[in-house]
Amino acid sequence: MKVAVIRRAHFNAAHRLHNPAWTDEKNREVFGLCNNPNWHGHNYELEVKVTGEIDPETGMVVDLGWLAGLIDREVEHRFDHKNLNLDTAEFRHLNPTAENICVVIWRILREHLPVQYDLHVRLYETPRNFVEYPA
Amino acid sequence: MKVAVIRRAHFNAAHRLHNPAWTDEKNREVFGLCNNPNWHGHNYELEVKVTGEIDPETGMVVDLGWLAGLIDREVEHRFDHKNLNLDTAEFRHLNPTAENICVVIWRILREHLPVQYDLHVRLYETPRNFVEYPA
Amino acid sequence: MKVAVIRRAHFNAAHRLHNPAWTDEKNREVFGLCNNPNWHGHNYELEVKVTGEIDPETGMVVDLGWLAGLIDREVEHRFDHKNLNLDTAEFRHLNPTAENICVVIWRILREHLPVQYDLHVRLYETPRNFVEYPA
Amino acid sequence: MKVAVIRRAHFNAAHRLHNPAWTDEKNREVFGLCNNPNWHGHNYELEVKVTGEIDPETGMVVDLGWLAGLIDREVEHRFDHKNLNLDTAEFRHLNPTAENICVVIWRILREHLPVQYDLHVRLYETPRNFVEYPA
Amino acid sequence: MKVAVIRRAHFNAAHRLHNPAWTDEKNREVFGLCNNPNWHGHNYELEVKVTGEIDPETGMVVDLGWLAGLIDREVEHRFDHKNLNLDTAEFRHLNPTAENICVVIWRILREHLPVQYDLHVRLYETPRNFVEYPA
Amino acid sequence: MKVAVIRRAHFNAAHRLHNPAWTDEKNREVFGLCNNPNWHGHNYELEVKVTGEIDPETGMVVDLGWLAGLIDREVEHRFDHKNLNLDTAEFRHLNPTAENICVVIWRILREHLPVQYDLHVRLYETPRNFVEYPA
């Protein structure tokens, strides 16, 4: 009787899409306005889905207070009000596209989640553009 | 050519998370504010997903009027403006966590849904906390 | 150059609409399902609007961190996960309709807000029913 | 490392549910108000999900500008501010239920999407009624 | 102590913007896609705001059940799943722009609302385009 | 018979709150995380409200296509995917708080709006923090 529990969170950050192996011209061509060297930013909305069995004693899959605290400590504290390219180790050498941010958040949380749970992450860059991992 | 049809509904209810096999202290420790003996409550939002083949005559998987009526009769009428712990047979001896409410609603609707359809239920306890069954 | 600043917050609570001066029958007739003696509940969403001049040094009308903290301390801490009728001094003898809750929140916040600011409160009982004070 | 990328779009259209093989009476009985011979309409919201590998050079699964342009050209331009039954080749002989519109949009986009990507479409007819294909 | 109470409702309808005193060319020029002679449509969302004193006996400005019933009877029943131009007396000779629909709804409801209440109507034609009367 | 017409738009930008007349310490104390020298960012949502008489010939207060184009040209094009502090003349010497951005947008649009219309601007920095001018 597997149930999925989803918790929403958010963080605000600046970023720039850029591939240092390319010329400036190719970067502008591929990334368009997102390549602005002076950065731009987003209100990122995050949905963390944890799947597992209901514990018959608590009636819960996972303690939502614990999960909210984990997301706060490991994701919001790390990325909120940051420049993803400059201020974080994760994106110093990795292009902070929504796809890459989503996978990075999945890896960070996966390490802290007991092995019996499945984990999925959905990340909204804007209300009209969002990504999911694993697909 | 299977298509899924989703219908949203809602109900407002009071509840308390509590395990009678535990001491009051352990209940407060595990369930926190949700253990308040005087109850608290939520606007529950429900998404009922029915999956099946499109009927070539109607162009529909299931008559949405029928589905909305079923949810109204079997879920909204049963739980809306109720105290889940005191007023419903389903949660007299079952902890009304979002997980358990979601599974209970799935079982109620499953009995009334013809066997050729698959059923999934998503339940929002708040806009930031929600669950799905089956996962 | 007056600007309004709005901060959203929320709390979850149980309540019952009831006038002790009336018979049970009249209470049921006027308040319907909201008169359930075993309570029901809501996710209340709150919008607190503070209007004033922009401070030329900060570029802000009011420090949003301070405002969020004030709402947390004075409103969320007081009402979240509570039974409004039983657990709060404000509604022991006042019917906790959305209208009355809105006015009570306005009065609580008004006391803590410097006199040069105007204050308006909007309270959502559900996404389809909400109230504003002053109108 | 498959990631899903979702893009939202929308279009406003008129339609009528009707099966010409049936009597008027049966059409009214099955389709109710949606059978109105003078049409009614909706703001359709569309979510197009494309699943594939992250390209290590761009950090993206698919160029969102390209995807948004494809949806604009092939879906929005075709259906926006149209009468689906009268103005479009797709629904001249196919009942424009949400289910059928969703499958038609999937087929249109599938033709234009490179074969290595998976495609899913979610279509909202109203905020409370929506469909997904494939399920 | 005036409080405003707001109730949301909705209806789905088809319409066409057209001024019969103009040439077809001028109609297309002014109304663009909205002039499609085969109609298009929308999910209209409505917010009805009623302002008045709190009744000390009920704690309410107006009975929300009564208000919801009034909107259902006088607005939703009249316009839902209709072609505004063809099926309604109100728009047979009046262009069904969002502005005109909003004023018409205000006039209909005003007749049924006791004189001590103020009335405001907000009408969403889409989530990005909406109107208010009186302003 | 004055009606208000509201159009939503959005732009994504980076910014930093900072007063160059203050010490770094005071800037951090007053602006907190928003003072990050490496910037952070937001998805800004904008509501532009134009109030005026309904033109009896068109049934409209203002042509929404014209208004959407004006906002696109004068606001979105100017601020979208920009660093407000570095890339815009407006905020080179003005702190880009939500309050100041809102007033600046009002002034830009006011110049282009015929004098018979009233103008109000609401700006969301996040879904929980927003401002309005004039109040």
Side-chain angles (χ1 to χ4, degrees), chain D residues 97-118:
Chain D
T97 57
E99 290 92 328
N100 280 336
I101 303 171
C102 190
V103 173
V104 161
I105 290 173
W106 185 89
R107 284 185 183 149
I108 291 169
L109 294 174
R110 182 67 273 184
E111 278 184 50
H112 295 274
L113 201 66
V115 71
Q116 70 269 28
Y117 296 115
D118 285 330

Side-chain angles (χ1 to χ4, degrees), chain C residues 22-130:
Chain C
W22 293 347
T23 63
D24 285 359
E25 198 183 2
K26 176 145 193 206
N27 270 293
R28 274 194 301 273
E29 189 192 309
V30 173
F31 296 122
L33 293 173
C34 300
N35 185 239
N36 180 356
N38 284 334
W39 327 99
H40 66 286
H42 296 290
N43 302 329
Y44 291 95
E45 285 280 330
L46 183 67
E47 289 182 7
V48 175
K49 177 156 84 167
V50 172
T51 304
E53 300 286 337
I54 296 181
D55 176 329
E57 278 204 292
T58 62
M60 303 190 298
V61 168
V62 70
D63 184 308
L64 262 179
W66 173 83
L67 181 60
L70 174 66
I71 299 169
D72 184 37
R73 243 178 1 258
E74 295 296 332
V75 180
E76 295 177 289
H77 185 73
R78 197 182 295 231
F79 296 141
D80 189 34
H81 283 75
K82 295 287 172 61
N83 182 309
L84 298 178
N85 307 61
L86 297 181
D87 295 333
T88 76
E90 288 78 6
F91 299 104
R92 200 145 307 148
H93 306 296
L94 179 67
N95 206 1
T97 57
E99 290 90 330
N100 280 337
I101 303 172
C102 190
V103 173
V104 162
I105 290 172
W106 185 89
R107 285 186 183 147
I108 290 170
L109 294 174
R110 183 66 276 182
E111 277 184 50
H112 296 275
L113 201 67
V115 72
Q116 72 269 28
Y117 297 115
D118 285 330
L119 175 66
H120 290 81
V121 174
R122 176 184 270 199
L123 182 73
Y124 291 80
E125 195 170 84
T126 73
R128 304 195 90 77
N129 296 337
F130 48 106

